[in-house]
Amino acid sequence: MSWYAALAVVLVTVVAMEFVAWGSHKYIMHGWGWGWHQSHHEPRHGRFEKNDLFAVVFAVLAIVLIGYGRLHAPVLAAIGAGMTLYGLLYFCVHDGLVHQRWPWRFVPRSGYLKRLYQAHRLHHAVPTRENCVGFSFLYAPPVHQLKDELRRLDSVRR
Ligand SMILES: [Zn+2]
Ligand SMILES: [Zn+2]
């Protein structure tokens, strides 16, 4: 496999992972995986939360793909590398930027990072499994769109 083919697979995987993460967040974490994810919608006690186990599952999967792929199928190793890169970006945006799980404080005041920040804050506007909006992580829909959706869900509930 040439290096540029490998690079292309890595980049496509990063984009695909955003869809995978969005889908797992909406249908698994806010579905049958709520038992782990609930901890992320409640105040955290200590350094870790049960929800971190999802990251562990994805990390193990990436390690297996890289380990097996290096020996038998380079394309799988490239997919594993793409998953790892996505994991890093996800950690910086979600755990770092939005949830401040790193030692410095930086709240973006403008541009796309601000939109990302606000969009995920709106996801946490609802502490329950149902009626949440904004399930994506690296992509953020316009904030007003999420606010409208929240209002609509809220009026349906009443
Ligand atoms: Zn959630
Ligand atoms: Zn969050």
Side-chain angles (χ1 to χ4, degrees), residues 10 13 15 19 34 36 41 46 58-59 63 65 67 81-82 84 87-88 99 113 115 154 157:
V10 169
T13 303
V15 175
F19 286 95
W34 182 245
W36 283 3
H41 282 261
F58 278 112
I63 290 167
L65 282 171
T84 306
L88 276 173
H99 293 295
L113 285 183
R115 175 164 142 180
D154 199 47
R157 235 181 332 160

Side-chain angles (χ1 to χ4, degrees), residues 20-137:
V20 172
W22 167 82
S24 352
H25 189 191
K26 191 173 166 82
Y27 298 105
I28 297 176
M29 295 172 169
H30 283 255
W32 53 265
W34 182 245
W36 283 3
H37 190 58
Q38 184 175 14
S39 62
H40 183 60
H41 282 261
E42 290 170 348
R44 182 172 46 245
H45 309 287
R47 246 183 128 60
F48 295 102
E49 48 196 48
K50 222 174 178 182
N51 183 58
D52 294 334
L53 289 170
F54 283 114
V56 174
V57 170
F58 278 112
V60 168
L61 200 62
I63 290 167
V64 170
L65 282 171
I66 292 171
Y68 178 85
R70 271 171 51 120
L71 299 173
H72 306 288
V75 68
L76 293 182
I79 290 174
M83 282 178 73
T84 306
L85 180 58
Y86 180 84
L88 276 173
L89 293 169
Y90 167 87
F91 175 80
C92 290
V93 168
H94 177 257
D95 292 88
L97 193 72
V98 182
H99 293 295
Q100 308 286 334
R101 291 177 81 179
W102 52 25
W104 59 86
R105 190 161 172 75
F106 165 67
V107 177
R109 304 254 172 249
S110 64
Y112 185 69
L113 285 183
K114 181 185 177 187
R115 175 164 142 180
L116 259 178
Y117 180 89
Q118 291 181 326
H120 193 69
R121 280 278 159 218
L122 285 172
H123 175 68
H124 284 280
V126 181
T128 52
R129 191 175 85 155
E130 292 87 15
N131 302 307
C132 287
V133 298
F135 292 92
S136 50
F137 294 105

